[in-house]
């Protein structure tokens, strides 16, 4: 199965994650296997469609796992993630 992620629905944070993954020459499926996260959840993160991952505690854990796997500090990402999540809830 090949999962396609594009930039049509990407948030700034999602775009950052996608660019880091692509720059590292990693496919979504490779990352999914390495960190035990479903490919569609990685696509949701890259698109900024956080609401597609149920329960906030799971969203945060998946975001933490994915971002640190890509080499980001969770401390650097968490504020940005919370800001985008709050904005999405207000829509």
């Amino acid at each position: 199965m090949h999962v396609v992620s594009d930039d049509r629905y990407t948030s700034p944070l999602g775009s950052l994650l996608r660019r880091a993954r692509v720059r590292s020459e990693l496919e979504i499926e490779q990352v999914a296997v390495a960190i035990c996260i479903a490919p569609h959840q990685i696509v949701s993160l890259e698109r900024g469609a956080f609401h597609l991952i149920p329960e906030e505690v799971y969203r945060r854990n998946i975001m933490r796992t994915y971002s640190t796997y890509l080499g980001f500090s969770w401390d650097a990402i968490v504020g940005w993630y919370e800001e985008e999540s709050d904005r999405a809830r207000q829509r």
Side-chain angles (χ1 to χ4, degrees):
M1 176 178 86
H2 182 71
V3 178
V4 177
S5 176
D6 59 46
D7 284 328
R8 286 183 293 168
Y9 306 104
T10 304
S11 70
L13 177 55
S15 181
L16 174 77
L17 296 172
R18 182 178 185 280
R19 285 192 315 267
R21 178 181 56 78
V22 169
R23 188 175 41 250
S24 297
E25 299 181 355
L26 296 168
E27 295 294 328
I28 289 172
E29 295 84 357
Q30 290 174 284
V31 175
V33 169
I35 61 176
C36 300
I37 293 175
H40 71 273
Q41 292 176 325
I42 293 170
V43 171
S44 295
L45 294 179
E46 290 184 356
R47 289 183 175 173
F50 307 135
H51 66 282
L52 296 178
I53 301 170
E55 302 298 326
E56 175 63 21
V57 68
Y58 296 121
R59 282 191 294 268
R60 287 178 67 87
N61 189 43
I62 290 168
M63 177 61 80
R64 179 184 305 116
T65 301
Y66 185 41
S67 62
T68 56
Y69 179 79
L70 293 174
F72 296 102
S73 160
W74 176 241
D75 292 335
I77 295 293
V78 68
W80 199 355
Y81 164 73
E82 289 173 351
E83 186 177 302
E84 285 197 24
S85 291
D86 290 345
R87 225 173 323 165
R89 275 192 289 272
Q90 293 172 0
R91 287 186 220 156

